[in-house]
Amino acid sequence: MSENNQIIIRVEKALDSIRPYLQADGGDVKIVELTADNVLIVDLLGACEHCPFSKFTLKMGVEQTILQEVPEIRSVIVRTE
């Protein structure tokens, strides 16, 4: 298993710890890509997608949880189209 795959598995585990809170408000988060320089790109789904507090949720909830569990990740950003 590649190092990238191992990191993704650890990130998913970290996300699973906060998913119930996101889902309770009608939202969720999905991994889109892990870049070569360990920036995690995600999609915010459902209610999180258009919520005025989504930046706060991303930085204070999603990113902090991931960085605590997977310190190799440099940052977490939302995919822009």
Side-chain angles (χ1 to χ4, degrees):
M1 182 177 296
S2 75
E3 183 179 347
N4 244 17
N5 287 344
Q6 291 174 352
I7 291 172
I8 293 290
I9 289 169
R10 291 171 48 219
V11 167
E12 283 289 355
K13 184 177 177 182
L15 289 175
D16 286 345
S17 73
I18 61 169
R19 271 201 173 96
Y21 304 105
L22 298 171
Q23 292 170 345
D25 289 329
D28 207 345
V29 62
K30 177 179 89 171
I31 296 171
V32 174
E33 178 184 357
L34 178 60
T35 68
D37 58 346
N38 283 350
V39 173
L40 186 70
I41 303 169
V42 299
D43 279 338
L44 294 177
L45 306 171
C48 291
E49 188 176 3
H50 301 291
C51 175
F53 299 107
S54 64
K55 287 183 184 180
F56 178 79
T57 299
L58 177 70
K59 291 297 174 185
M60 299 307 293
V62 175
E63 184 176 65
Q64 288 302 312
T65 299
I66 291 171
L67 294 178
Q68 184 175 16
E69 298 296 322
V70 190
E72 298 92 336
I73 299 296
R74 291 187 43 232
S75 67
V76 179
I77 60 173
V78 173
R79 174 170 55 175
T80 57
E81 311 227 32

XYZ file of all heavy atoms in Angstrom:
632
model
N 0.849 -1.175 0.000
C 0.000 0.000 0.000
C 0.899 1.244 0.000
O 1.837 1.335 0.769
C -0.899 -0.023 1.235
C -1.863 1.133 1.296
S -2.987 1.080 2.709
C -3.904 -0.387 2.370
N 0.586 2.188 -0.857
C 1.410 3.388 -0.977
C 1.237 4.286 0.247
O 0.250 4.205 0.982
C 1.051 4.161 -2.244
O -0.173 4.836 -2.068
N 2.199 5.167 0.442
C 2.138 6.108 1.554
C 0.908 7.005 1.431
O 0.237 7.303 2.422
C 3.406 6.956 1.603
C 3.434 7.912 2.774
C 4.701 8.726 2.842
O 5.677 8.405 2.140
O 4.709 9.704 3.606
N 0.606 7.442 0.196
C -0.584 8.266 -0.030
C -1.857 7.551 0.421
O -2.726 8.151 1.055
C -0.698 8.643 -1.509
C -0.587 10.122 -1.736
O -0.132 10.870 -0.879
N -1.012 10.559 -2.899
N -1.973 6.272 0.069
C -3.153 5.498 0.463
C -3.254 5.372 1.975
O -4.343 5.451 2.535
C -3.142 4.111 -0.179
C -3.457 4.158 -1.656
O -3.963 5.148 -2.169
N -3.133 3.087 -2.347
N -2.125 5.193 2.638
C -2.119 5.091 4.095
C -2.570 6.404 4.731
O -3.323 6.404 5.710
C -0.731 4.691 4.597
C -0.350 3.287 4.235
C 1.082 2.949 4.623
O 1.849 3.797 5.040
N 1.437 1.685 4.474
N -2.128 7.510 4.171
C -2.538 8.820 4.679
C -4.035 9.007 4.483
O -4.740 9.452 5.393
C -1.728 9.955 4.017
C -0.277 9.905 4.499
C -2.344 11.313 4.309
C 0.650 10.860 3.779
N -4.538 8.661 3.308
C -5.976 8.799 3.019
C -6.800 7.970 4.007
O -7.827 8.442 4.516
C -6.299 8.397 1.568
C -5.683 9.380 0.581
C -7.803 8.248 1.353
C -6.327 10.746 0.560
N -6.362 6.765 4.305
C -7.080 5.912 5.256
C -7.119 6.580 6.630
O -8.160 6.598 7.296
C -6.437 4.511 5.327
C -6.731 3.744 4.032
C -6.930 3.735 6.550
C -5.939 2.472 3.868
N -6.016 7.165 7.050
C -5.974 7.858 8.347
C -6.847 9.106 8.338
O -7.498 9.422 9.338
C -4.532 8.181 8.706
C -3.749 6.909 9.024
C -2.271 7.110 9.194
N -1.935 8.204 10.060
C -0.908 9.037 9.837
N -0.142 8.877 8.767
N -0.639 10.009 10.668
N -6.871 9.814 7.209
C -7.726 10.993 7.094
C -9.193 10.574 7.180
O -9.996 11.210 7.881
C -7.445 11.768 5.786
C -8.531 12.791 5.513
C -6.077 12.425 5.831
N -9.569 9.508 6.491
C -10.951 9.017 6.544
C -11.347 8.657 7.973
O -12.457 8.956 8.416
C -11.153 7.805 5.628
C -11.260 8.133 4.165
C -12.565 8.827 3.781
O -13.478 8.992 4.605
O -12.661 9.219 2.610
N -10.431 8.048 8.700
C -10.706 7.698 10.093
C -10.941 8.964 10.920
O -11.860 9.017 11.741
C -9.553 6.878 10.672
C -9.796 6.391 12.062
C -8.662 5.519 12.558
C -8.919 5.100 13.994
N -7.831 4.302 14.530
N -10.131 9.983 10.702
C -10.316 11.260 11.406
C -11.657 11.879 11.028
O -12.386 12.377 11.903
C -9.166 12.212 11.081
N -11.992 11.848 9.749
C -13.271 12.410 9.306
C -14.451 11.646 9.907
O -15.468 12.248 10.252
C -13.365 12.404 7.783
C -12.464 13.397 7.061
C -12.558 13.203 5.553
C -12.807 14.823 7.448
N -14.300 10.341 10.046
C -15.378 9.539 10.633
C -15.687 9.977 12.062
O -16.818 9.824 12.525
C -15.036 8.052 10.598
C -15.157 7.454 9.207
O -15.779 8.098 8.320
O -14.622 6.346 8.997
N -14.704 10.555 12.750
C -14.937 10.994 14.128
C -15.777 12.268 14.191
O -16.413 12.536 15.215
C -13.605 11.195 14.856
O -12.942 12.361 14.399
N -15.797 13.059 13.114
C -16.586 14.298 13.129
C -17.811 14.237 12.217
O -18.664 15.110 12.287
C -15.729 15.532 12.765
C -15.141 15.409 11.367
C -14.671 15.776 13.814
C -14.524 16.685 10.864
N -17.886 13.214 11.388
C -19.021 13.098 10.466
C -20.377 13.148 11.163
O -21.292 13.790 10.664
C -18.915 11.828 9.631
C -18.148 12.029 8.381
C -18.459 10.969 7.333
N -17.793 11.375 6.123
C -16.611 10.935 5.744
N -15.987 10.047 6.464
N -16.063 11.380 4.635
N -20.545 12.478 12.304
C -21.868 12.531 12.949
C -22.325 13.962 13.244
O -23.513 14.267 13.130
C -21.670 11.737 14.242
C -20.551 10.803 13.932
C -19.644 11.572 13.011
N -21.402 14.839 13.583
C -21.751 16.231 13.866
C -22.147 16.971 12.590
O -23.103 17.744 12.584
C -20.592 16.946 14.554
C -20.149 16.236 15.813
C -18.973 15.495 15.832
C -20.923 16.273 16.965
C -18.571 14.826 16.978
C -20.538 15.611 18.116
C -19.354 14.883 18.117
O -18.975 14.217 19.247
N -21.411 16.724 11.520
C -21.751 17.340 10.238
C -23.093 16.814 9.734
O -23.943 17.584 9.281
C -20.658 17.057 9.201
C -19.268 17.607 9.495
C -18.257 17.067 8.485
C -19.279 19.117 9.498
N -23.276 15.511 9.830
C -24.499 14.891 9.334
C -25.714 15.285 10.163
O -26.827 15.366 9.639
C -24.329 13.377 9.276
C -23.337 12.964 8.210
C -22.949 11.498 8.250
O -23.189 10.805 9.240
N -22.332 11.018 7.183
N -25.518 15.566 11.443
C -26.629 16.000 12.291
C -27.205 17.321 11.806
O -28.387 17.607 12.011
C -26.167 16.124 13.736
N -26.370 18.121 11.135
C -26.818 19.394 10.580
C -27.110 19.307 9.088
O -27.242 20.319 8.414
C -25.774 20.484 10.835
C -25.705 20.880 12.296
O -26.748 20.815 12.976
O -24.621 21.259 12.760
N -27.147 18.085 8.552
C -27.484 17.891 7.148
C -26.322 18.026 6.191
O -26.515 18.191 4.991
N -25.095 17.945 6.701
C -23.927 18.097 5.846
C -23.021 16.883 5.876
O -23.317 15.874 6.512
N -21.910 17.006 5.192
C -20.890 15.957 5.172
C -19.661 16.520 4.475
O -19.670 17.649 3.980
C -21.385 14.710 4.449
C -20.700 13.436 4.941
O -19.656 13.528 5.633
O -21.195 12.342 4.630
N -18.613 15.719 4.428
C -17.370 16.104 3.767
C -16.850 14.898 3.003
O -17.007 13.756 3.441
C -16.332 16.636 4.791
C -15.945 15.575 5.795
C -15.107 17.201 4.099
N -16.261 15.161 1.833
C -15.734 14.087 0.981
C -14.339 14.482 0.519
O -14.103 15.620 0.094
C -16.647 13.887 -0.221
C -16.148 12.849 -1.210
C -17.101 12.687 -2.367
C -16.730 13.677 -3.439
N -17.436 13.502 -4.706
N -13.418 13.543 0.582
C -12.061 13.770 0.084
C -12.098 13.777 -1.436
O -12.664 12.885 -2.058
C -11.100 12.673 0.573
C -10.983 12.708 2.096
C -9.731 12.826 -0.086
C -10.220 11.535 2.670
N -11.463 14.790 -2.020
C -11.356 14.887 -3.470
C -9.965 14.454 -3.909
O -9.818 13.647 -4.824
C -11.644 16.324 -3.959
C -11.391 16.455 -5.453
C -13.057 16.734 -3.603
N -8.951 14.987 -3.231
C -7.570 14.726 -3.671
C -6.599 15.034 -2.547
O -6.821 15.934 -1.744
C -7.255 15.624 -4.866
C -5.862 15.502 -5.402
C -5.555 16.485 -6.532
O -6.462 17.236 -6.947
O -4.404 16.504 -6.976
N -5.518 14.296 -2.520
C -4.369 14.613 -1.684
C -3.245 14.975 -2.638
O -2.804 14.141 -3.436
C -3.972 13.428 -0.807
C -2.753 13.632 0.076
C -2.960 14.789 1.054
C -2.412 12.351 0.823
N -2.816 16.227 -2.613
C -1.799 16.683 -3.552
C -0.423 16.136 -3.173
O -0.219 15.631 -2.068
C -1.736 18.219 -3.604
O -1.238 18.699 -2.346
C -3.093 18.824 -3.921
N 0.524 16.283 -4.082
C 1.884 15.805 -3.850
C 2.541 16.496 -2.660
O 3.425 15.924 -2.016
C 2.728 16.005 -5.106
N 2.111 17.724 -2.363
C 2.687 18.441 -1.217
C 1.787 18.355 0.023
O 1.853 19.187 0.918
C 3.022 19.883 -1.572
C 1.828 20.670 -2.074
O 0.793 20.058 -2.405
O 1.930 21.901 -2.136
N 0.946 17.301 0.078
C 0.111 16.974 1.236
C -0.910 18.046 1.610
O -1.173 18.283 2.795
C 0.959 16.599 2.449
C 1.515 15.195 2.331
O 1.135 14.434 1.447
N 2.418 14.843 3.214
N -1.491 18.663 0.606
C -2.652 19.522 0.815
C -3.868 18.669 0.483
O -3.934 18.052 -0.586
C -2.599 20.780 -0.074
C -3.900 21.563 0.028
C -1.408 21.644 0.305
N -4.807 18.609 1.421
C -6.005 17.810 1.232
C -7.103 18.695 0.654
O -7.425 19.736 1.215
C -6.462 17.217 2.563
C -7.618 16.241 2.479
C -7.179 14.935 1.805
C -8.178 15.963 3.863
N -7.657 18.266 -0.473
C -8.758 18.989 -1.114
C -10.032 18.201 -0.841
O -10.076 16.990 -1.062
C -8.518 19.148 -2.625
C -7.184 19.877 -2.863
C -9.670 19.890 -3.285
C -6.717 19.869 -4.296
N -11.050 18.910 -0.346
C -12.302 18.260 0.012
C -13.479 18.981 -0.624
O -13.368 20.124 -1.067
C -12.506 18.219 1.549
C -11.388 17.441 2.232
C -12.634 19.620 2.136
N -14.609 18.298 -0.652
C -15.900 18.898 -0.984
C -16.713 18.916 0.293
O -16.762 17.912 1.024
C -16.666 18.063 -2.012
C -16.224 18.297 -3.443
O -15.641 19.361 -3.720
O -16.458 17.407 -4.276
N -17.342 20.047 0.575
C -18.343 20.102 1.631
C -19.674 19.790 0.970
O -19.998 20.336 -0.080
C -18.362 21.483 2.284
C -17.095 21.848 3.061
C -17.200 23.262 3.604
C -16.832 20.859 4.185
N -20.441 18.914 1.576
C -21.667 18.410 0.961
C -22.902 18.804 1.759
O -22.812 19.127 2.945
C -21.600 16.884 0.855
C -20.376 16.313 0.145
C -20.335 14.803 0.296
C -20.359 16.725 -1.309
N -24.034 18.731 1.107
C -25.305 18.980 1.768
C -25.388 20.385 2.327
O -24.996 21.352 1.681
N -25.887 20.492 3.543
C -26.062 21.795 4.179
C -24.734 22.532 4.348
O -24.700 23.761 4.350
C -26.748 21.625 5.530
N -23.637 21.812 4.477
C -22.326 22.442 4.654
C -21.885 23.215 3.406
O -21.120 24.166 3.492
C -21.264 21.405 4.995
S -21.438 20.679 6.625
N -22.372 22.788 2.264
C -21.939 23.376 0.999
C -22.258 24.868 0.902
O -21.452 25.646 0.413
C -22.593 22.615 -0.159
C -22.082 23.010 -1.504
C -22.688 22.151 -2.606
O -23.544 21.292 -2.331
O -22.291 22.356 -3.758
N -23.420 25.273 1.386
C -23.842 26.662 1.240
C -23.998 27.392 2.570
O -24.501 28.499 2.607
C -25.160 26.723 0.460
C -25.048 26.117 -0.901
N -24.309 26.684 -1.906
C -25.544 24.960 -1.399
C -24.369 25.918 -2.983
N -25.102 24.862 -2.707
N -23.568 26.761 3.626
C -23.709 27.340 4.958
C -22.791 28.548 5.107
O -21.620 28.501 4.710
C -23.362 26.299 6.013
S -23.365 26.920 7.691
N -23.286 29.645 5.706
C -22.429 30.814 5.905
C -21.284 30.548 6.887
O -20.308 31.297 6.916
C -23.388 31.878 6.453
C -24.575 31.140 6.936
C -24.652 29.861 6.154
N -21.371 29.473 7.645
C -20.315 29.135 8.600
C -19.379 28.057 8.065
O -18.581 27.503 8.812
C -20.932 28.675 9.919
C -21.778 29.725 10.564
C -23.154 29.590 10.568
C -21.213 30.851 11.131
C -23.958 30.565 11.148
C -22.004 31.824 11.716
C -23.373 31.682 11.726
N -19.460 27.747 6.788
C -18.673 26.635 6.235
C -17.168 26.850 6.372
O -16.435 25.893 6.601
C -19.053 26.373 4.781
O -18.735 27.477 3.966
N -16.683 28.080 6.246
C -15.240 28.319 6.416
C -14.819 28.022 7.844
O -13.763 27.445 8.087
C -14.883 29.760 6.049
C -14.917 30.014 4.572
C -14.494 31.424 4.244
C -14.631 31.661 2.750
N -14.238 32.996 2.364
N -15.648 28.394 8.796
C -15.378 28.096 10.200
C -15.392 26.585 10.426
O -14.499 26.038 11.069
C -16.412 28.792 11.093
C -16.223 28.503 12.546
C -15.254 29.168 13.275
C -17.028 27.574 13.187
C -15.075 28.901 14.629
C -16.853 27.303 14.532
C -15.881 27.963 15.256
N -16.399 25.914 9.882
C -16.494 24.457 10.007
C -15.262 23.789 9.414
O -14.695 22.873 10.012
C -17.764 23.930 9.297
O -18.906 24.516 9.908
C -17.857 22.420 9.340
N -14.833 24.269 8.253
C -13.679 23.680 7.595
C -12.425 23.860 8.439
O -11.711 22.901 8.719
C -13.461 24.297 6.205
C -12.221 23.778 5.483
C -12.405 22.329 5.059
C -11.881 24.646 4.304
N -12.128 25.077 8.842
C -10.870 25.358 9.537
C -10.871 24.864 10.983
O -9.898 24.281 11.438
C -10.548 26.854 9.494
C -10.181 27.326 8.105
C -8.924 26.642 7.622
C -8.599 26.959 6.187
N -7.455 26.210 5.686
N -11.941 25.122 11.717
C -11.958 24.796 13.140
C -12.429 23.376 13.433
O -12.119 22.822 14.481
C -12.829 25.798 13.906
C -12.321 27.227 13.805
S -10.582 27.440 14.262
C -10.656 27.059 16.001
N -13.150 22.789 12.531
C -13.642 21.430 12.740
C -12.876 20.413 11.930
O -12.116 19.613 12.461
N -13.056 20.487 10.631
C -12.480 19.485 9.733
C -10.949 19.542 9.747
O -10.282 18.543 10.017
C -13.034 19.659 8.300
C -12.349 18.715 7.332
C -14.552 19.457 8.281
N -10.391 20.698 9.463
C -8.929 20.795 9.366
C -8.251 20.478 10.694
O -7.280 19.715 10.726
C -8.510 22.177 8.876
C -6.996 22.268 8.663
C -6.569 23.598 8.076
O -6.741 24.636 8.770
O -6.080 23.589 6.943
N -8.743 21.021 11.784
C -8.107 20.777 13.085
C -8.128 19.300 13.461
O -7.143 18.767 13.963
C -8.765 21.624 14.173
C -8.434 23.088 14.069
C -6.939 23.355 14.125
O -6.232 22.851 14.990
N -6.456 24.121 13.168
N -9.240 18.632 13.185
C -9.338 17.204 13.477
C -8.342 16.414 12.638
O -7.638 15.541 13.149
C -10.773 16.702 13.216
O -11.667 17.415 14.076
C -10.894 15.214 13.458
N -8.260 16.740 11.363
C -7.343 16.021 10.475
C -5.896 16.274 10.874
O -5.089 15.342 10.973
C -7.595 16.394 9.004
C -8.943 15.822 8.561
C -6.459 15.893 8.104
C -9.402 16.306 7.207
N -5.532 17.528 11.123
C -4.146 17.854 11.472
C -3.724 17.189 12.777
O -2.566 16.808 12.937
C -3.950 19.365 11.560
C -4.113 20.133 10.253
C -3.932 21.629 10.486
C -3.166 19.641 9.183
N -4.649 17.056 13.696
C -4.341 16.403 14.966
C -4.049 14.917 14.758
O -3.138 14.366 15.371
C -5.510 16.573 15.926
C -5.258 16.028 17.296
C -6.402 16.328 18.249
O -7.504 16.685 17.829
N -6.159 16.177 19.516
N -4.814 14.275 13.886
C -4.679 12.840 13.657
C -3.666 12.484 12.572
O -3.091 11.401 12.585
C -6.036 12.235 13.292
C -7.076 12.367 14.373
C -6.716 11.599 15.638
O -6.162 10.492 15.521
O -6.981 12.119 16.735
N -3.471 13.393 11.622
C -2.595 13.121 10.473
C -1.695 14.340 10.260
O -1.959 15.177 9.391
C -3.420 12.815 9.203
C -2.521 12.291 8.087
C -4.551 11.834 9.486
N -0.634 14.473 11.062
C 0.205 15.678 10.994
C 0.940 15.866 9.671
O 1.433 16.964 9.400
C 1.182 15.496 12.158
C 1.105 14.065 12.542
C -0.224 13.550 12.098
N 0.973 14.844 8.830
C 1.608 14.996 7.514
C 0.827 15.955 6.614
O 1.389 16.518 5.676
C 1.715 13.643 6.790
C 2.566 12.617 7.482
C 1.764 11.713 8.424
O 0.685 12.113 8.909
O 2.219 10.595 8.668
N -0.460 16.121 6.885
C -1.285 17.024 6.081
C -0.882 18.457 6.380
O -0.811 18.861 7.537
C -2.793 16.807 6.375
C -3.218 15.384 6.029
C -3.646 17.836 5.626
C -3.108 15.014 4.564
N -0.632 19.237 5.342
C -0.217 20.634 5.510
C -1.399 21.564 5.704
O -1.343 22.489 6.509
C 0.598 21.091 4.311
C 1.965 20.408 4.261
C 2.883 20.945 3.183
N 2.851 22.386 3.095
C 2.630 23.068 1.959
N 2.432 22.422 0.834
N 2.622 24.372 1.949
N -2.460 21.337 4.946
C -3.667 22.140 5.090
C -4.821 21.417 4.401
O -4.619 20.472 3.640
C -3.493 23.548 4.504
O -3.351 23.485 3.108
N -6.024 21.912 4.693
C -7.242 21.367 4.093
C -7.958 22.525 3.410
O -8.172 23.575 4.026
C -8.150 20.721 5.156
C -9.416 20.181 4.513
C -7.415 19.626 5.910
N -8.289 22.328 2.150
C -8.994 23.364 1.401
C -10.212 22.757 0.707
O -10.268 21.560 0.456
C -8.088 24.063 0.359
C -7.559 23.060 -0.666
C -6.940 24.797 1.046
C -6.804 23.707 -1.825
N -11.181 23.621 0.429
C -12.368 23.191 -0.303
C -12.095 23.324 -1.794
O -11.505 24.321 -2.240
C -13.591 24.045 0.099
C -14.793 23.711 -0.776
C -13.925 23.832 1.556
N -12.517 22.332 -2.544
C -12.339 22.368 -4.000
C -13.111 23.546 -4.575
O -14.252 23.802 -4.213
C -12.852 21.069 -4.620
C -12.827 21.105 -6.147
C -13.077 19.824 -6.809
N -14.321 19.168 -6.420
C -14.752 18.051 -6.998
N -14.063 17.474 -7.949
N -15.879 17.498 -6.600
N -12.445 24.251 -5.452
C -13.097 25.311 -6.202
C -13.258 24.839 -7.622
O -12.393 24.158 -8.167
C -12.283 26.613 -6.159
O -10.970 26.354 -6.670
C -12.185 27.159 -4.756
N -14.355 25.156 -8.224
C -14.638 24.646 -9.562
C -14.120 25.524 -10.636
O -13.735 26.566 -10.581
C -16.141 24.474 -9.701
C -16.618 23.731 -8.503
C -17.537 22.594 -8.792
O -17.420 21.956 -9.828
O -18.365 22.343 -7.935
